[in-house]
Amino acid sequence: MADQHPNQIGLQECIISKLDGKGGVIKKRTIKTDMIISFDFMESITSPFVSGSLLISDSKDFLNTFPIEGGEEVAISMQHTFDENPIDFNLRVYKVGGRVVDGKKQVYTLMLVSSEAIINESFKVQDPLDGNPESIIGKLLREKLRTSKEIFSEPSRFKVRMIPGNLRVFDIIAKLIKKSVSTKTTYGSESGSNNTGKSEQQIKGSAGFFFWETNRGYNCFSVDALCDVSERQTFAAPRLKSESWGPYFETIANIESTQDSRFNIISFNYSSEVDIMSSLRLGKYSTKMVFFNHSTGEYAEYVYKMKNSYDDMAHLGGQSTVSTVPGTDMSALLNEASENPARVMSAILDPETWIDESKVTDPDVKDAVNPTEYADWTKYYAAQSVARYDLLRNQEATLKIPCNPLICAGDKIDLRFQSKLSDTLQTKKPYDTESSGIYLVKEVTHTFNFVNSGTSGNGFTTLRLFRDSYGSGIEPSKYGE
Protein backbone atom coordinates (compact mmCIF):
# COMPACT_ATOMS: atom_id res chain seq x y z
CA MET A 1 0.00 0.00 0.00
CA ALA A 2 3.04 2.27 -0.35
CA ASP A 3 1.50 4.26 -3.21
CA GLN A 4 -1.75 4.99 -1.40
CA HIS A 5 -2.79 7.93 0.78
CA PRO A 6 -0.51 8.13 3.86
CA ASN A 7 -3.46 7.57 6.22
CA GLN A 8 -4.93 4.65 4.31
CA ILE A 9 -5.15 1.26 6.02
CA GLY A 10 -6.86 -1.98 5.15
CA LEU A 11 -8.28 -4.79 7.26
CA GLN A 12 -6.99 -8.13 6.04
CA GLU A 13 -8.79 -10.13 8.72
CA CYS A 14 -10.23 -9.96 12.22
CA ILE A 15 -10.94 -13.29 13.88
CA ILE A 16 -12.31 -13.84 17.38
CA SER A 17 -11.83 -17.29 18.90
CA LYS A 18 -12.78 -19.21 22.02
CA LEU A 19 -9.86 -21.29 23.30
CA ASP A 20 -9.64 -24.31 25.55
CA GLY A 21 -7.20 -24.69 28.45
CA LYS A 22 -4.42 -25.85 26.12
CA GLY A 23 -4.79 -23.03 23.61
CA GLY A 24 -6.83 -25.03 21.10
CA VAL A 25 -9.61 -23.29 19.19
CA ILE A 26 -13.11 -24.35 20.24
CA LYS A 27 -15.03 -21.83 18.19
CA LYS A 28 -14.15 -18.87 15.99
CA ARG A 29 -15.86 -16.18 13.97
CA THR A 30 -14.68 -13.57 11.46
CA ILE A 31 -15.62 -9.98 12.26
CA LYS A 32 -15.94 -7.88 9.10
CA THR A 33 -15.70 -4.13 8.68
CA ASP A 34 -19.49 -3.81 8.46
CA MET A 35 -19.34 -4.36 12.23
CA ILE A 36 -16.04 -2.63 13.08
CA ILE A 37 -16.16 1.11 13.69
CA SER A 38 -12.59 1.47 14.93
CA PHE A 39 -9.67 -0.36 16.51
CA ASP A 40 -7.05 1.17 18.82
CA PHE A 41 -3.80 -0.50 19.82
CA MET A 42 -1.80 0.96 22.74
CA GLU A 43 1.70 0.52 24.14
CA SER A 44 3.49 2.35 26.94
CA ILE A 45 7.07 2.25 28.16
CA THR A 46 5.66 2.23 31.70
CA SER A 47 3.20 -0.64 31.11
CA PRO A 48 4.13 -4.35 31.28
CA PHE A 49 1.42 -5.26 28.78
CA VAL A 50 -0.10 -3.96 25.56
CA SER A 51 -3.80 -3.17 25.27
CA GLY A 52 -6.44 -2.31 22.71
CA SER A 53 -10.08 -1.51 22.13
CA LEU A 54 -12.38 -2.71 19.35
CA LEU A 55 -15.51 -0.58 18.81
CA ILE A 56 -18.32 -2.75 17.42
CA SER A 57 -21.63 -1.83 15.75
CA ASP A 58 -23.73 -4.96 16.22
CA SER A 59 -27.05 -5.48 14.43
CA LYS A 60 -26.74 -9.30 14.46
CA ASP A 61 -26.77 -9.84 18.23
CA PHE A 62 -23.21 -11.16 17.95
CA LEU A 63 -22.55 -10.28 21.59
CA ASN A 64 -25.08 -12.85 22.82
CA THR A 65 -25.05 -15.46 20.08
CA PHE A 66 -21.27 -16.03 19.99
CA PRO A 67 -21.31 -15.16 23.01
CA ILE A 68 -18.64 -12.84 24.46
CA GLU A 69 -17.74 -14.11 27.95
CA GLY A 70 -14.19 -12.79 28.41
CA GLY A 71 -10.86 -14.37 27.56
CA GLU A 72 -11.58 -14.70 23.82
CA GLU A 73 -8.63 -14.27 21.49
CA VAL A 74 -8.86 -11.44 18.96
CA ALA A 75 -6.41 -11.70 16.05
CA ILE A 76 -6.27 -8.71 13.71
CA SER A 77 -4.16 -8.34 10.58
CA MET A 78 -3.86 -4.81 9.16
CA GLN A 79 -2.37 -3.48 5.92
CA HIS A 80 -0.61 -0.12 5.95
CA THR A 81 1.61 2.14 3.83
CA PHE A 82 4.97 1.46 5.53
CA ASP A 83 5.37 -2.17 4.50
CA GLU A 84 3.95 -4.50 1.91
CA ASN A 85 3.39 -7.09 4.63
CA PRO A 86 0.46 -6.62 7.01
CA ILE A 87 1.03 -6.14 10.74
CA ASP A 88 -0.59 -8.55 13.19
CA PHE A 89 -2.13 -7.88 16.61
CA ASN A 90 -3.09 -10.64 19.03
CA LEU A 91 -5.02 -9.75 22.17
CA ARG A 92 -7.59 -11.15 24.63
CA VAL A 93 -10.98 -9.75 25.63
CA TYR A 94 -11.10 -8.75 29.29
CA LYS A 95 -14.12 -6.43 29.34
CA VAL A 96 -17.16 -5.31 27.38
CA GLY A 97 -17.73 -1.60 27.96
CA GLY A 98 -19.91 1.30 26.86
CA ARG A 99 -22.77 -0.80 25.56
CA VAL A 100 -25.54 1.33 24.01
CA VAL A 101 -28.72 -0.32 22.69
CA ASP A 102 -30.93 1.36 20.05
CA GLY A 103 -33.68 -0.96 18.83
CA LYS A 104 -32.09 -3.97 17.15
CA LYS A 105 -28.71 -2.27 16.95
CA GLN A 106 -26.17 -2.02 19.72
CA VAL A 107 -22.75 -0.42 19.97
CA TYR A 108 -20.13 -1.59 22.46
CA THR A 109 -16.38 -1.76 22.97
CA LEU A 110 -14.36 -4.91 23.42
CA MET A 111 -11.53 -3.99 25.81
CA LEU A 112 -8.40 -6.00 25.04
CA VAL A 113 -5.07 -6.87 26.70
CA SER A 114 -2.26 -9.34 26.11
CA SER A 115 -2.89 -12.85 27.42
CA GLU A 116 -0.06 -12.51 29.97
CA ALA A 117 -1.84 -9.59 31.64
CA ILE A 118 -4.81 -11.84 32.44
CA ILE A 119 -2.61 -14.69 33.72
CA ASN A 120 -0.67 -12.20 35.87
CA GLU A 121 -3.82 -11.25 37.80
CA SER A 122 -4.34 -14.77 39.14
CA PHE A 123 -0.75 -15.93 39.62
CA LYS A 124 1.10 -15.22 42.87
CA VAL A 125 4.81 -15.95 43.24
CA GLN A 126 5.98 -17.67 46.42
CA ASP A 127 9.38 -19.13 45.44
CA PRO A 128 12.51 -17.22 46.55
CA LEU A 129 14.20 -15.36 43.69
CA ASP A 130 17.94 -15.19 43.18
CA GLY A 131 20.24 -13.76 40.51
CA ASN A 132 20.63 -10.86 38.14
CA PRO A 133 17.35 -8.96 37.57
CA GLU A 134 17.61 -9.80 33.86
CA SER A 135 17.60 -13.55 34.54
CA ILE A 136 14.90 -13.26 37.20
CA ILE A 137 12.58 -11.37 34.86
CA GLY A 138 13.17 -13.84 32.04
CA LYS A 139 12.45 -16.78 34.36
CA LEU A 140 9.23 -15.19 35.65
CA LEU A 141 7.97 -14.52 32.13
CA ARG A 142 8.79 -17.97 30.81
CA GLU A 143 7.91 -20.15 33.79
CA LYS A 144 5.16 -18.24 35.57
CA LEU A 145 3.35 -16.38 32.77
CA ARG A 146 4.26 -19.07 30.20
CA THR A 147 4.95 -16.53 27.47
CA SER A 148 6.47 -17.58 24.16
CA LYS A 149 7.11 -14.00 23.06
CA GLU A 150 10.61 -12.68 22.50
CA ILE A 151 12.35 -11.11 25.49
CA PHE A 152 14.87 -8.33 24.86
CA SER A 153 16.93 -7.18 27.86
CA GLU A 154 20.28 -6.11 29.26
CA PRO A 155 21.94 -7.25 32.51
CA SER A 156 22.02 -5.17 35.67
CA ARG A 157 25.22 -4.57 37.62
CA PHE A 158 24.05 -6.07 40.95
CA LYS A 159 22.64 -9.45 41.90
CA VAL A 160 19.58 -9.63 44.16
CA ARG A 161 17.80 -12.08 46.39
CA MET A 162 14.21 -11.58 47.45
CA ILE A 163 11.21 -13.39 48.89
CA PRO A 164 8.22 -12.30 46.75
CA GLY A 165 5.57 -12.78 49.43
CA ASN A 166 2.73 -13.72 47.07
CA LEU A 167 3.25 -10.76 44.77
CA ARG A 168 2.16 -10.91 41.13
CA VAL A 169 4.82 -11.22 38.44
CA PHE A 170 4.49 -7.68 37.12
CA ASP A 171 4.57 -6.26 40.67
CA ILE A 172 7.86 -8.06 41.33
CA ILE A 173 9.34 -6.74 38.08
CA ALA A 174 8.26 -3.19 39.00
CA LYS A 175 10.29 -3.49 42.19
CA LEU A 176 13.33 -4.91 40.41
CA ILE A 177 13.67 -2.28 37.67
CA LYS A 178 13.88 0.59 40.17
CA LYS A 179 16.83 -1.15 41.80
CA SER A 180 18.63 -1.97 38.56
CA VAL A 181 21.85 -0.26 37.48
CA SER A 182 23.36 -0.65 34.02
CA THR A 183 26.69 -2.45 33.83
CA LYS A 184 27.94 0.42 31.65
CA THR A 185 27.12 3.13 34.18
CA THR A 186 29.81 4.88 36.23
CA TYR A 187 28.92 4.71 39.90
CA GLY A 188 30.56 5.11 43.30
CA SER A 189 31.13 7.46 46.22
CA GLU A 190 33.97 9.82 47.04
CA SER A 191 34.96 12.50 49.51
CA GLY A 192 34.54 16.07 48.35
CA SER A 193 33.63 19.53 49.49
CA ASN A 194 30.81 21.93 48.80
CA ASN A 195 31.11 25.55 47.68
CA THR A 196 31.65 26.70 51.27
CA GLY A 197 34.61 24.35 51.70
CA LYS A 198 32.84 21.97 54.04
CA SER A 199 33.65 18.31 53.40
CA GLU A 200 30.90 15.93 52.32
CA GLN A 201 30.50 12.42 51.02
CA GLN A 202 29.37 12.65 47.40
CA ILE A 203 27.81 9.86 45.42
CA LYS A 204 27.51 9.67 41.64
CA GLY A 205 25.89 7.54 39.01
CA SER A 206 22.74 6.76 37.09
CA ALA A 207 20.13 4.07 37.67
CA GLY A 208 16.70 2.92 36.65
CA PHE A 209 15.29 0.57 34.02
CA PHE A 210 12.02 0.37 32.12
CA PHE A 211 10.10 -2.86 31.58
CA TRP A 212 7.40 -2.84 28.93
CA GLU A 213 5.68 -4.89 26.25
CA THR A 214 5.40 -3.97 22.58
CA ASN A 215 4.17 -5.77 19.51
CA ARG A 216 7.77 -7.00 19.09
CA GLY A 217 7.92 -8.64 22.53
CA TYR A 218 9.01 -7.84 26.10
CA ASN A 219 11.72 -5.27 26.81
CA CYS A 220 13.84 -4.46 29.87
CA PHE A 221 16.50 -1.79 29.41
CA SER A 222 18.17 1.04 31.29
CA VAL A 223 17.14 4.65 30.75
CA ASP A 224 20.64 5.40 29.49
CA ALA A 225 20.53 2.62 26.88
CA LEU A 226 17.28 4.08 25.54
CA CYS A 227 18.68 7.62 25.45
CA ASP A 228 22.04 6.84 23.88
CA VAL A 229 22.02 8.42 20.42
CA SER A 230 25.71 9.36 20.40
CA GLU A 231 28.22 8.05 17.91
CA ARG A 232 30.24 6.39 20.69
CA GLN A 233 27.23 4.34 21.85
CA THR A 234 28.64 4.17 25.39
CA PHE A 235 25.46 2.76 26.90
CA ALA A 236 24.20 0.86 23.86
CA ALA A 237 22.58 -2.51 24.57
CA PRO A 238 23.03 -5.04 21.72
CA ARG A 239 19.57 -6.55 22.14
CA LEU A 240 17.68 -3.26 22.31
CA LYS A 241 15.11 -3.09 19.50
CA SER A 242 14.61 0.67 19.49
CA GLU A 243 14.01 1.87 15.96
CA SER A 244 14.70 5.46 14.91
CA TRP A 245 12.00 7.06 12.76
CA GLY A 246 11.93 10.20 10.68
CA PRO A 247 12.76 12.88 10.32
CA TYR A 248 9.18 14.10 10.55
CA PHE A 249 8.64 17.68 9.36
CA GLU A 250 6.35 20.46 10.45
CA THR A 251 4.74 21.77 7.26
CA ILE A 252 3.48 25.26 6.49
CA ALA A 253 -0.16 25.59 5.46
CA ASN A 254 -0.91 26.34 1.78
CA ILE A 255 2.69 25.66 0.73
CA GLU A 256 3.32 22.63 -1.42
CA SER A 257 6.00 20.20 -0.32
CA THR A 258 7.89 17.57 -2.29
CA GLN A 259 8.71 15.43 0.75
CA ASP A 260 7.02 12.10 1.52
CA SER A 261 3.64 13.00 3.06
CA ARG A 262 3.86 9.98 5.36
CA PHE A 263 6.47 11.95 7.32
CA ASN A 264 4.40 15.10 7.86
CA ILE A 265 3.50 16.22 11.37
CA ILE A 266 -0.30 16.50 11.68
CA SER A 267 -0.27 18.15 15.11
CA PHE A 268 2.13 18.67 18.00
CA ASN A 269 1.80 20.23 21.44
CA TYR A 270 3.83 20.24 24.64
CA SER A 271 1.99 19.02 27.73
CA SER A 272 4.75 19.95 30.17
CA GLU A 273 8.13 21.69 30.23
CA VAL A 274 10.44 22.91 33.01
CA ASP A 275 8.48 21.83 36.09
CA ILE A 276 10.98 22.80 38.79
CA MET A 277 8.48 22.42 41.67
CA SER A 278 8.01 18.72 40.97
CA SER A 279 11.72 18.27 40.28
CA LEU A 280 12.71 19.89 43.58
CA ARG A 281 10.33 17.73 45.58
CA LEU A 282 11.57 14.59 43.86
CA GLY A 283 15.18 15.59 44.45
CA LYS A 284 16.30 15.74 40.84
CA TYR A 285 18.81 18.53 41.42
CA SER A 286 20.13 17.49 44.83
CA THR A 287 19.35 14.89 47.47
CA LYS A 288 20.84 14.10 50.85
CA MET A 289 20.78 10.37 51.58
CA VAL A 290 21.02 9.20 55.19
CA PHE A 291 21.85 5.53 55.87
CA PHE A 292 22.23 3.39 58.97
CA ASN A 293 23.86 -0.01 58.52
CA HIS A 294 22.57 -2.13 61.40
CA SER A 295 24.98 -4.97 60.54
CA THR A 296 28.05 -2.79 61.18
CA GLY A 297 26.52 0.05 63.22
CA GLU A 298 27.73 2.60 60.67
CA TYR A 299 25.85 5.87 60.12
CA ALA A 300 26.58 7.75 56.88
CA GLU A 301 25.32 10.72 54.92
CA TYR A 302 25.77 11.10 51.18
CA VAL A 303 24.97 13.91 48.76
CA TYR A 304 23.75 13.24 45.25
CA LYS A 305 23.86 16.14 42.79
CA MET A 306 22.55 15.83 39.27
CA LYS A 307 25.14 18.27 37.90
CA ASN A 308 27.97 15.93 39.00
CA SER A 309 26.48 12.90 37.24
CA TYR A 310 25.03 14.56 34.13
CA ASP A 311 28.10 13.89 31.98
CA ASP A 312 28.02 10.20 32.95
CA MET A 313 24.54 9.76 31.45
CA ALA A 314 23.23 9.42 27.91
CA HIS A 315 21.07 12.27 26.61
CA LEU A 316 18.66 12.68 23.71
CA GLY A 317 19.21 16.39 23.18
CA GLY A 318 22.24 18.61 22.65
CA GLN A 319 22.26 20.20 26.10
CA SER A 320 25.75 19.96 27.63
CA THR A 321 24.75 20.50 31.29
CA VAL A 322 21.60 20.17 33.36
CA SER A 323 19.46 23.31 33.59
CA THR A 324 19.65 25.03 36.97
CA VAL A 325 17.49 27.70 38.53
CA PRO A 326 18.96 31.22 38.56
CA GLY A 327 18.94 33.28 41.74
CA THR A 328 21.03 33.23 44.92
CA ASP A 329 18.62 31.30 47.14
CA MET A 330 17.76 28.76 44.45
CA SER A 331 21.40 28.24 43.52
CA ALA A 332 22.17 27.40 47.14
CA LEU A 333 19.31 24.96 47.18
CA LEU A 334 20.55 23.23 44.06
CA ASN A 335 24.29 23.32 44.67
CA GLU A 336 24.62 23.00 48.45
CA ALA A 337 22.63 19.83 49.00
CA SER A 338 24.40 19.03 52.27
CA GLU A 339 23.31 22.36 53.78
CA ASN A 340 20.03 22.89 51.94
CA PRO A 341 18.89 19.54 50.53
CA ALA A 342 15.98 19.68 48.13
CA ARG A 343 15.07 16.22 49.39
CA VAL A 344 16.21 13.97 52.22
CA MET A 345 16.08 10.19 51.84
CA SER A 346 16.75 7.80 54.71
CA ALA A 347 17.06 4.03 54.81
CA ILE A 348 18.30 1.21 57.00
CA LEU A 349 20.90 -0.86 55.17
CA ASP A 350 21.22 -4.59 55.70
CA PRO A 351 24.05 -5.85 53.46
CA GLU A 352 24.30 -9.20 55.27
CA THR A 353 20.70 -10.36 55.18
CA TRP A 354 21.59 -13.46 53.19
CA ILE A 355 24.94 -14.16 54.85
CA ASP A 356 25.47 -16.49 57.81
CA GLU A 357 29.07 -15.66 58.68
CA SER A 358 30.78 -14.05 61.64
CA LYS A 359 33.06 -11.89 59.48
CA VAL A 360 32.03 -8.67 57.73
CA THR A 361 31.04 -9.30 54.08
CA ASP A 362 29.80 -5.83 53.14
CA PRO A 363 31.68 -4.97 49.87
CA ASP A 364 31.80 -1.30 50.89
CA VAL A 365 33.97 -2.19 53.88
CA LYS A 366 37.67 -2.20 52.97
CA ASP A 367 38.54 -5.06 55.33
CA ALA A 368 35.79 -7.37 54.06
CA VAL A 369 37.37 -10.82 53.62
CA ASN A 370 34.77 -12.34 51.32
CA PRO A 371 32.50 -9.58 49.91
CA THR A 372 29.00 -10.78 49.19
CA GLU A 373 27.34 -10.44 45.78
CA TYR A 374 24.00 -9.88 47.49
CA ALA A 375 24.73 -6.73 49.45
CA ASP A 376 22.28 -3.91 50.02
CA TRP A 377 22.97 -1.54 47.11
CA THR A 378 20.36 1.10 48.05
CA LYS A 379 22.88 3.96 48.09
CA TYR A 380 23.67 3.37 44.40
CA TYR A 381 20.13 3.50 43.04
CA ALA A 382 17.70 5.21 45.46
CA ALA A 383 18.26 8.88 44.55
CA GLN A 384 19.81 8.07 41.18
CA SER A 385 16.79 6.28 39.72
CA VAL A 386 14.34 8.94 40.94
CA ALA A 387 16.44 11.73 39.45
CA ARG A 388 16.99 9.87 36.16
CA TYR A 389 13.30 9.15 35.65
CA ASP A 390 12.39 12.77 36.42
CA LEU A 391 15.07 14.12 34.07
CA LEU A 392 13.26 12.41 31.19
CA ARG A 393 10.23 14.60 31.94
CA ASN A 394 12.17 17.74 30.98
CA GLN A 395 10.00 17.96 27.85
CA GLU A 396 6.75 16.04 27.40
CA ALA A 397 4.65 16.32 24.27
CA THR A 398 1.93 14.71 22.16
CA LEU A 399 2.49 14.12 18.44
CA LYS A 400 -0.03 13.04 15.82
CA ILE A 401 1.26 11.64 12.51
CA PRO A 402 -0.05 9.53 9.58
CA CYS A 403 -0.60 5.93 10.59
CA ASN A 404 2.65 4.02 11.10
CA PRO A 405 1.81 0.85 13.08
CA LEU A 406 5.47 -0.20 13.06
CA ILE A 407 6.36 2.46 15.66
CA CYS A 408 6.58 0.99 19.16
CA ALA A 409 6.96 2.39 22.67
CA GLY A 410 10.67 2.80 23.37
CA ASP A 411 11.47 3.83 19.80
CA LYS A 412 12.98 7.21 18.97
CA ILE A 413 11.65 9.79 16.55
CA ASP A 414 13.44 12.72 14.90
CA LEU A 415 11.32 15.88 14.61
CA ARG A 416 12.04 19.05 12.64
CA PHE A 417 10.06 22.16 13.56
CA GLN A 418 9.91 25.36 11.58
CA SER A 419 11.89 28.26 13.00
CA LYS A 420 9.81 30.83 14.90
CA LEU A 421 12.06 33.67 13.76
CA SER A 422 11.06 36.36 11.29
CA ASP A 423 10.97 35.47 7.59
CA THR A 424 14.26 37.30 7.02
CA LEU A 425 16.15 35.35 9.70
CA GLN A 426 14.37 32.11 8.90
CA THR A 427 16.25 31.77 5.62
CA LYS A 428 19.49 31.44 7.63
CA LYS A 429 17.95 29.28 10.36
CA PRO A 430 15.03 27.27 8.94
CA TYR A 431 14.51 25.02 11.98
CA ASP A 432 13.84 25.60 15.65
CA THR A 433 17.06 23.97 16.86
CA GLU A 434 16.02 23.81 20.54
CA SER A 435 12.67 22.08 20.04
CA SER A 436 13.76 19.95 17.07
CA GLY A 437 15.71 16.78 17.66
CA ILE A 438 15.23 13.25 18.90
CA TYR A 439 12.46 12.28 21.32
CA LEU A 440 11.78 8.98 23.06
CA VAL A 441 8.36 7.38 22.48
CA LYS A 442 6.77 6.98 25.90
CA GLU A 443 3.34 5.86 24.70
CA VAL A 444 1.87 5.06 21.30
CA THR A 445 -1.72 4.63 20.13
CA HIS A 446 -2.43 3.36 16.63
CA THR A 447 -5.99 4.20 15.56
CA PHE A 448 -7.72 2.46 12.65
CA ASN A 449 -11.12 3.77 11.53
CA PHE A 450 -13.64 2.00 9.26
CA VAL A 451 -16.60 4.31 8.73
CA ASN A 452 -17.78 3.30 5.25
CA SER A 453 -18.18 -0.47 5.86
CA GLY A 454 -15.44 -1.30 3.33
CA THR A 455 -12.22 -3.24 3.87
CA SER A 456 -10.20 -0.01 3.66
CA GLY A 457 -10.24 2.87 6.09
CA ASN A 458 -7.99 5.56 7.47
CA GLY A 459 -5.72 5.67 10.46
CA PHE A 460 -3.31 7.80 12.42
CA THR A 461 -0.71 7.33 15.12
CA THR A 462 -0.62 9.34 18.34
CA LEU A 463 2.68 9.43 20.23
CA ARG A 464 3.31 10.72 23.73
CA LEU A 465 6.95 11.74 23.79
CA PHE A 466 9.51 12.83 26.34
CA ARG A 467 13.19 13.65 26.49
CA ASP A 468 15.76 14.73 29.05
CA SER A 469 17.37 17.74 27.38
CA TYR A 470 16.81 20.48 24.83
CA GLY A 471 18.54 20.88 21.51
CA SER A 472 19.44 18.88 18.45
CA GLY A 473 22.55 18.04 16.48
CA ILE A 474 22.08 21.10 14.28
CA GLU A 475 23.79 23.49 16.70
CA PRO A 476 24.75 23.58 20.42
CA SER A 477 21.87 24.21 22.83
CA LYS A 478 21.66 27.43 24.81
CA TYR A 479 19.97 25.65 27.71
CA GLY A 480 22.14 24.85 30.71
CA GLU A 481 24.70 27.55 29.91
Side-chain angles (χ1 to χ4, degrees):
M1 298 183 66
D3 296 330
Q4 306 300 316
H5 189 278
N7 290 332
Q8 186 170 343
I9 49 94
L11 179 68
Q12 184 160 305
E13 65 177 7
C14 177
I15 298 175
I16 184 168
S17 307
K18 287 182 178 293
L19 307 178
D20 59 23
K22 297 181 179 180
V25 177
I26 300 174
K27 182 181 181 181
K28 67 179 180 179
R29 188 80 59 85
T30 298
I31 303 178
K32 298 182 179 180
T33 52
D34 60 346
M35 290 180 61
I36 300 175
I37 299 175
S38 66
F39 170 62
D40 288 335
F41 180 76
M42 289 84 77
E43 299 173 355
S44 173
I45 203 173
T46 59
S47 174
F49 55 86
V50 296
S51 60
S53 62
L54 188 63
L55 184 58
I56 300 292
S57 176
D58 185 0
S59 58
K60 305 173 184 178
D61 200 23
F62 175 77
L63 182 68
N64 297 314
T65 58
F66 186 65
I68 303 295
E69 300 174 281
E72 292 83 2
E73 179 185 73
V74 177
I76 297 175
S77 184
M78 201 77 65
Q79 295 176 316
H80 56 96
T81 62
F82 279 84
D83 198 326
E84 294 296 332
N85 299 315
I87 187 169
D88 299 324
F89 304 99
N90 195 298
L91 300 163
R92 297 291 185 91
V93 177
Y94 79 92
K95 178 182 178 180
V96 177
R99 185 180 177 192
V100 178
V101 180
D102 183 9
K104 294 185 177 182
K105 184 178 181 180
Q106 52 188 340
V107 176
Y108 51 86
T109 302
L110 300 183
M111 309 299 292
L112 313 169
V113 291
S114 56
S115 59
E116 292 84 357
I118 296 177
I119 297 173
N120 176 74
E121 291 303 310
S122 59
F123 198 99
K124 304 298 188 294
V125 181
Q126 299 178 355
D127 305 331
L129 302 174
D130 182 331
N132 191 283
E134 179 190 36
S135 63
I136 293 175
I137 291 171
K139 184 177 180 180
L140 290 172
L141 293 174
R142 293 289 186 220
E143 297 182 6
K144 306 303 182 183
L145 298 187
R146 302 189 299 276
T147 185
S148 59
K149 297 173 181 175
E150 285 199 73
I151 301 174
F152 307 99
S153 60
E154 69 169 310
S156 173
R157 183 181 293 274
F158 306 125
K159 289 185 176 181
V160 298
R161 277 179 177 166
M162 65 181 298
I163 298 175
N166 281 329
L167 287 177
R168 295 171 297 187
V169 170
F170 289 153
D171 293 331
I172 295 170
I173 294 175
K175 286 178 174 289
L176 287 174
I177 60 175
K178 293 178 182 178
K179 301 178 180 181
S180 297
V181 178
S182 171
T183 57
K184 299 181 180 181
T185 297
T186 301
Y187 80 103
S189 59
E190 59 184 17
S191 298
S193 60
N194 57 27
N195 289 354
T196 63
K198 185 177 180 179
S199 62
E200 61 182 14
Q201 283 285 102
Q202 298 179 357
I203 200 161
K204 298 175 65 177
S206 178
F209 275 49
F210 284 112
F211 173 78
W212 73 105
E213 184 189 5
T214 69
N215 209 29
R216 301 178 191 135
Y218 285 100
N219 309 270
C220 185
F221 291 96
S222 66
V223 178
D224 288 304
L226 287 166
C227 292
D228 194 348
V229 294
S230 65
E231 293 182 358
R232 293 181 298 172
Q233 293 285 283
T234 305
F235 301 95
R239 288 182 53 77
L240 175 59
K241 302 295 183 182
S242 178
E243 301 291 339
S244 296
W245 300 94
Y248 280 81
F249 294 90
E250 179 184 30
T251 58
I252 301 176
N254 302 321
I255 295 180
E256 292 187 7
S257 174
T258 58
Q259 69 187 34
D260 190 339
S261 58
R262 294 178 300 169
F263 294 93
N264 287 343
I265 295 174
I266 298 175
S267 65
F268 181 87
N269 64 277
Y270 286 105
S271 55
S272 176
E273 288 185 278
V274 195
D275 186 354
I276 65 169
M277 288 290 286
S278 295
S279 296
L280 286 168
R281 291 182 179 182
L282 288 170
K284 182 180 85 171
Y285 303 106
S286 60
T287 298
K288 177 189 283 187
M289 296 185 289
V290 180
F291 299 112
F292 176 70
N293 186 332
H294 75 81
S295 295
T296 62
E298 179 188 8
Y299 172 89
E301 294 184 1
Y302 294 88
V303 174
Y304 177 77
K305 300 177 183 178
M306 173 59 73
K307 68 173 186 177
N308 293 341
S309 297
Y310 189 85
D311 289 340
D312 296 323
M313 301 175 180
H315 302 287
L316 293 165
Q319 196 172 325
S320 59
T321 59
V322 64
S323 297
T324 56
V325 185
T328 304
D329 295 337
M330 297 301 287
S331 295
L333 184 63
L334 301 182
N335 297 322
E336 302 302 325
S338 58
E339 299 296 332
N340 301 286
R343 182 179 183 179
V344 177
M345 289 183 174
S346 61
I348 295 176
L349 301 182
D350 189 5
E352 302 189 30
T353 301
W354 307 102
I355 304 300
D356 186 18
E357 292 185 15
S358 59
K359 297 180 179 179
V360 175
T361 60
D362 184 354
D364 280 342
V365 177
K366 293 182 180 179
D367 299 330
V369 178
N370 186 23
T372 176
E373 293 180 308
Y374 301 96
D376 190 333
W377 306 104
T378 304
K379 68 174 70 172
Y380 297 119
Y381 65 75
Q384 293 88 331
S385 61
V386 171
R388 193 66 181 97
Y389 288 134
D390 188 65
L391 187 61
L392 265 179
R393 298 175 56 246
N394 186 58
Q395 284 183 291
E396 295 183 283
T398 301
L399 171 71
K400 184 177 178 181
I401 56 177
C403 185
N404 182 357
L406 300 180
I407 296 179
C408 293
D411 284 356
K412 290 173 275 289
I413 187 166
D414 187 3
L415 304 180
R416 304 291 173 86
F417 298 105
Q418 296 286 339
S419 173
K420 306 304 182 286
L421 299 172
S422 64
D423 292 343
T424 303
L425 296 176
Q426 193 172 11
T427 56
K428 298 180 180 180
K429 189 178 180 180
Y431 296 114
D432 179 347
T433 57
E434 297 291 1
S435 299
S436 297
I438 298 175
Y439 290 74
L440 184 64
V441 178
K442 179 182 181 182
E443 301 174 14
V444 57
T445 300
H446 301 298
T447 300
F448 309 92
N449 294 314
F450 300 92
V451 293
N452 297 321
S453 300
T455 57
S456 63
N458 63 79
F460 56 87
T461 294
T462 304
L463 306 175
R464 280 153 287 281
L465 311 172
F466 58 179
R467 67 172 179 170
D468 58 354
S469 55
Y470 285 89
S472 59
I474 301 174
E475 67 178 29
S477 173
K478 293 182 175 60
Y479 284 82
E481 291 182 349

